[in-house]
Amino acid sequence: MFEQGGLEHGGRLRAAAQRYGVALADWLDLSTGIAPYGWPLPAIPASAWTRLPEQHDGLEVAARDYYGVSNLLPVAGSQAAIQALPRLVRDARVGILSPAYAEHAAAWQREGHRLLELSEAGVNRALERLDVLLLINPNNPTGRRFAPEQLLSWHARLAERGGWLVVDEAFIDCTPEHSLAAFSERSGLIVLRSFGKFFGLAGIRLGFVLAQPTVLEQLAELLGPWAISGPSRVVATALLQDHAGQRLQRERLLADGERLATLLSAQGFAPTGGCALFQFCCTPSAAELHEFLAAQGILTRLFASPLSLRFGLPADEQGWQRLQQALASFAKESQ
């Protein structure tokens, strides 16, 4: 199924604090797939606050270098592109690999397109009936990765008929070798990238669309001018140019992703999938564990189909110990 719980998302700490009676400052939030740490931010000049944002300030150049592409469009978080892309086509038959981040399906349904929920095994049979195939790589919430060769094969079949392959790569920064960024100038291939997740800056609301210039021009016209604030452009430009910082962030996230998988396995909740930024556990006790952890101020992401939990990364050693102890307590009480 598409992501359960309507269009609710992780990170809703204020609602959790009210529901479970735990003070906002006392939560360990593992409900998102956002890096819980980043690195020192650059100084923001006063002009970034007082002047309208302008292009040619270095952001696009830095982003093109980071993603290894010739053409891209900065957007106010990849969410902006998710909502706008369905407005560029009419009456499309759209296949979405499920389970998937719910906003994708909602956006295409909102514009009146016909949606088909697909399993990975069902793509080849359905492809000739589709105008658009949409998937997340690595998948959210399962962490399933798709080989570039498989995706390019699907894209070629769609492109023959003028169709689109849309790939949401929000969680791929730690494994860029799996990205389709280098192929994004091919007709009918659209790649969405998130800035905030890898860089640990979700509040900056920045993402990028990698695609043919004609698609980017249509999107830019639809979204209008000044989509990215001046301060966001300054910060993002600096971090996209900080190759040493990116390397250290990638190494830390990969190590912590493995540590989380090991911790969960040791407590009897071996992940069924995951990536550097989160681990995904299918278990019959998912709902009970979610409630148990929430009562102790640890917020996870619960999914109903399949019944499962997604765990993000703790930010510090205290958080790691707190999660380990809570999982051990649940296992003890469940015996």
Side-chain angles (χ1 to χ4, degrees):
M1 293 292 291
F2 302 125
E3 182 180 341
Q4 299 301 300
L7 295 184
E8 294 181 359
H9 307 96
R12 300 174 70 246
L13 278 181
R14 294 186 184 277
Q18 183 175 13
R19 176 177 176 182
Y20 295 99
V22 178
L24 198 63
D26 294 336
W27 281 91
L28 173 59
D29 184 8
L30 308 180
S31 67
T32 75
I34 300 164
Y37 39 70
W39 53 89
L41 302 181
I44 299 175
S47 60
W49 298 102
T50 59
R51 294 177 57 85
L52 285 170
E54 295 187 61
Q55 294 183 355
H56 312 297
D57 60 357
L59 174 60
E60 284 81 1
V61 172
R64 288 196 295 267
D65 178 66
Y66 178 79
Y67 295 115
V69 300
S70 299
N71 298 289
L72 53 71
L73 177 71
V75 293
S78 50
Q79 181 64 39
I82 289 171
Q83 292 184 218
L85 279 172
R87 299 174 63 185
L88 301 186
V89 295
R90 298 288 183 186
D91 193 27
R93 295 160 296 181
V94 182
I96 299 183
L97 262 66
S98 178
Y101 177 55
E103 292 285 353
H104 284 292
W108 289 91
Q109 287 174 329
R110 191 179 300 122
E111 299 303 320
H113 300 290
R114 292 166 286 167
L115 267 61
L116 179 62
E117 181 181 343
L118 297 173
S119 66
E120 183 178 348
V123 172
N124 283 320
R125 294 191 301 273
L127 208 55
E128 303 306 321
R129 295 182 283 130
L130 300 179
D131 301 302
V132 177
L133 175 63
L134 190 152
L135 57 90
I136 307 165
N137 189 35
N139 182 258
N140 177 19
T142 67
R144 169 78 171 95
R145 289 189 183 91
F146 300 91
E149 297 77 13
Q150 176 65 82
L151 299 183
L152 291 173
S153 173
W154 287 341
H155 164 258
R157 292 171 59 187
L158 287 161
E160 285 178 356
R161 298 178 288 105
W164 281 3
L165 173 65
V166 180
V167 184
D168 182 345
E169 295 185 343
F171 298 97
I172 211 166
D173 291 71
C174 285
T175 53
E177 65 275 13
H178 296 292
S179 173
L180 293 190
F183 306 96
S184 60
E185 290 190 32
R186 295 187 181 183
S187 177
L189 179 57
I190 300 171
V191 177
L192 309 182
R193 296 294 292 261
S194 169
F195 178 87
K197 292 180 176 63
F198 172 73
F199 288 95
L201 292 172
I204 204 169
R205 303 312 307 135
L206 176 64
F208 295 90
V209 182
L210 320 180
Q212 274 195 317
T214 52
V215 173
L216 300 180
E217 290 164 6
Q218 289 178 289
L219 269 179
E221 183 177 354
L222 185 60
L223 295 172
W226 312 304
I228 312 302
S229 73
S232 294
R233 294 181 70 92
V234 171
V235 171
T237 300
L239 268 61
L240 287 166
Q241 293 173 331
D242 184 359
H243 303 301
Q246 295 160 18
R247 183 178 64 255
L248 292 173
Q249 180 81 334
R250 190 170 291 113
E251 291 172 354
R252 184 178 182 185
L253 288 171
L254 287 167
D256 279 353
E258 292 183 5
R259 180 179 181 181
L260 180 58
T262 299
L263 186 157
L264 292 168
S265 297
Q267 299 301 326
F269 296 101
T272 49
C275 62
L277 287 163
F278 63 82
Q279 295 296 321
F280 180 71
C281 300
C282 289
T283 170
S285 58
E288 291 81 3
L289 178 56
H290 175 77
E291 290 295 315
F292 181 88
L293 294 175
Q296 300 185 51
I298 301 175
L299 188 60
T300 57
R301 189 76 172 94
L302 175 65
F303 297 88
S305 181
L307 188 57
S308 53
L309 285 179
R310 193 188 65 190
F311 292 80
L313 301 176
D316 51 33
E317 192 60 32
Q318 181 182 4
W320 285 101
Q321 295 303 318
R322 186 174 168 188
L323 175 61
Q324 190 276 330
Q325 291 166 10
L327 290 171
S329 296
F330 179 83
K332 185 175 181 180
E333 290 190 12
S334 300
Q335 288 178 350

